[in-house]
């Protein structure tokens, strides 16, 4: 039996966005800044920032962030709340103003769901 079976399961945060063309520069800048904060957090593993280039999907951009485990999520959320506070940023209001539709969720690998 591998020691992997006793390890804590990673957590994946997947955020999907539909971004109007005119909002793209401001959106990309905000995601870059947000990822910079996330990358400094203990428990951060890796991320992807993807832009759709083909296909019928409804979302233009996706971020996928891997954390060591679910315990990391509240710490990252607190760091982002503080970052937004320092900038005087209301993300929800900004997304609405820019006309950006979002879909956010956390995931675990399918085989890890029983753990």
């Amino acid at each position: 039996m591998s020691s992997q079976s006793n390890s804590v399961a990673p957590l994946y945060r997947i955020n999907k966005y539909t971004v109007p063309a005119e909002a793209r520069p401001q959106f990309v800048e905000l995601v870059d800044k947000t990822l910079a904060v996330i990358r400094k957090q203990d428990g951060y593993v890796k991320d992807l920032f993807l832009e759709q280039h083909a296909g019928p999907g409804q979302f233009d951009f996706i971020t996928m962030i891997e954390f060591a485990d679910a315990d990391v999520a509240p710490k990252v959320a607190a760091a982002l709340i503080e970052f937004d506070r320092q900038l005087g940023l209301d993300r929800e209001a900004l997304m609405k103003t820019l006309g950006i539709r979002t879909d956010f969720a956390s995931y675990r690998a399918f085989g890890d769901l029983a753990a």
Side-chain angles (χ1 to χ4, degrees):
M1 184 188 309
S2 95
S3 62
Q4 194 86 9
S5 64
N6 294 332
S7 67
V8 176
L11 179 73
Y12 301 92
R13 176 67 181 202
I14 299 177
N15 301 331
K16 299 177 269 188
Y17 307 89
T18 300
V19 182
E22 62 276 6
R24 187 181 188 280
Q26 191 173 356
F27 168 77
V28 169
E29 180 181 359
L30 179 58
V31 171
D32 284 342
K33 288 178 179 178
T34 300
L35 289 174
V37 171
I38 292 170
R39 289 173 182 145
K40 294 177 186 174
Q41 304 307 306
D42 288 336
Y44 162 84
V45 176
K46 65 182 175 183
D47 66 80
L48 291 170
F49 182 22
L50 306 171
E51 182 177 16
Q52 181 178 330
H53 72 93
Q58 63 178 340
F59 296 103
D60 305 307
F61 291 93
I62 295 176
T63 59
M64 192 286 302
I65 305 158
E66 181 179 345
F67 298 112
D69 58 54
D71 292 341
V72 176
K75 297 170 192 168
V76 170
L80 290 173
I81 288 168
E82 177 59 20
F83 175 73
D84 289 354
R85 188 192 63 74
Q86 289 175 2
L87 291 180
L89 177 64
D90 179 339
R91 281 178 194 263
E92 191 173 322
L94 179 62
M95 294 296 153
K96 192 172 198 171
T97 298
L98 295 176
I100 297 172
R101 289 188 311 120
T102 60
D103 179 50
F104 304 137
S106 296
Y107 297 83
R108 287 196 181 139
F110 182 72
D112 294 336
L113 294 178

